[in-house]
Amino acid sequence: MILGVGTRYSDFTSASKTAFQNPSVRFININVCDFDAYKHAAIALTGDARVTIEELQRAVTGYKVDASYQTKISAFRAAWEMEVDRIHGIRKDPPITQGEVIGIVNHHTEASDIMVCAAGSMPGDLHKLWRTRQPGGYHMEYGYSCMGYEIAGGLGAKMACPEREVYVLVGDGSYLMMAQEIVTSLQENCKLNIVLLDNHGFSSIGGLSRSCGNEGMGTEYRYRRDRKYDGDLVPVAYEANAASLGLGPQESARAKNSKLRCWQPQAGAYFGGGDRDCL
């Protein structure tokens, strides 16, 4: 039995629906939208998520799954926690891995901090590797991989919860689409911690296209040569770009020891990291 709360069963959250392979699987969906509530021939509970869950909780008071099932689930969870630890602790010299960056930021942050992300391969990795410790600490744009949402969304999260630190994880492709809200965050005195992973373009969709027999569709930032994008990498100075928007450099020993460089102005912070080049 799967209880879906406010979900549209998108590709990210359902592994393109391959997560539901047991022929006996059944669904109960809680959603304000009838269309989503009835997905997968579910028992549809159309209504507010909090109110519906409170009513369900009263209805199932005292119910427990059998001990063997509890043991099985505990074993699965323990095995996955070990795998997360392994990926977090790879400790590869630059260029460092994306999983390692996620682990560094996760360990660096406090339980009350908020992580914001949106597009590329990071939503999939964060979905698996980020350990959320307090409600509201994981903010992901799961709808349509909305590139450019990250910094603007982080600003919104900070305005909603000014007492909490906000960490924005963004790839270089998304950053170049819309980094301008850094200026707004400075104007509004809303501190953001921006972690930029530089893989020279749109490596997520580039890898997907190559896996399907294409040649990447120009998804790497390379100079055009003989009508193809197979020249040298286009150098982009993200530190300089961030500085031009009001951010100034200040080394952070803690970040440096974690293989990240911290660019920390009066009201914001810029972290650089990468799975090819470490800024």
Side-chain angles (χ1 to χ4, degrees), residues 4 6-8 29-39 44-49:
T7 179
R8 292 171 291 174
N29 293 335
I30 302 171
N31 209 297
V32 293
C33 175
D34 280 333
F35 178 80
D36 292 318
Y38 280 96
K39 282 182 176 177
L45 303 178
T46 306
D48 178 82

Side-chain angles (χ1 to χ4, degrees), residues 84-110 113 115 126 129-131 133 167 169 195 197 252-262 271-275 278:
V84 172
D85 287 338
R86 184 190 68 81
I87 296 172
H88 281 183
I90 289 175
R91 297 296 179 266
K92 185 177 181 291
D93 289 332
I96 58 178
T97 67
Q98 184 165 281
E100 185 180 356
V101 173
I102 291 171
I104 291 168
V105 178
N106 207 172
H107 286 87
H108 173 82
T109 55
E110 302 293 335
D113 295 345
M115 186 283 303
L126 286 162
L129 303 176
W130 187 266
R131 288 165 168 154
R133 291 157 286 175
Y167 286 80
L169 273 68
V195 183
L197 281 80
S252 166
R254 185 172 185 181
K256 187 175 181 181
N257 291 338
S258 300
K259 302 181 184 175
L260 296 175
R261 176 173 292 175
C262 175
F271 285 82
D275 52 350
C278 185

Side-chain angles (χ1 to χ4, degrees), residues 143-166:
Y144 299 99
S145 283
C146 186
M147 298 183 72
Y149 172 89
E150 294 91 341
I151 294 173
L155 173 58
K158 184 64 176 179
M159 294 176 74
C161 302
E163 73 286 356
R164 301 175 73 170
E165 289 286 333
V166 175

Side-chain angles (χ1 to χ4, degrees), residues 121-224:
S121 60
M122 272 194 289
D125 281 353
L126 286 162
H127 185 78
K128 296 177 289 186
L129 303 176
W130 187 266
R131 288 165 168 154
T132 304
R133 291 157 286 175
Q134 282 191 14
Y138 181 88
H139 182 95
M140 184 66 65
E141 194 290 303
Y142 274 121
Y144 299 99
S145 283
C146 186
M147 298 183 72
Y149 172 89
E150 294 91 341
I151 294 173
L155 173 58
K158 184 64 176 179
M159 294 176 74
C161 302
E163 73 286 356
R164 301 175 73 170
E165 289 286 333
V166 175
Y167 286 80
V168 175
L169 273 68
V170 59
D172 55 319
S174 281
Y175 176 87
L176 290 177
M177 284 192 172
M178 198 168 78
Q180 301 92 320
E181 293 304 332
I182 288 175
V183 178
T184 310
S185 71
L186 294 169
Q187 180 184 33
E188 297 297 328
N189 198 31
C190 291
K191 177 187 175 186
L192 298 178
N193 302 284
I194 301 171
V195 183
L196 172 66
L197 281 80
D198 176 19
N199 54 23
H200 307 300
F202 310 101
S203 289
S204 175
I205 195 66
L208 178 61
S209 69
R210 283 188 289 272
S211 73
C212 296
N214 211 307
E215 296 183 356
M217 297 291 291
T219 50
E220 286 191 322
Y221 291 148
R222 292 184 179 274
Y223 290 108
R224 185 191 293 271

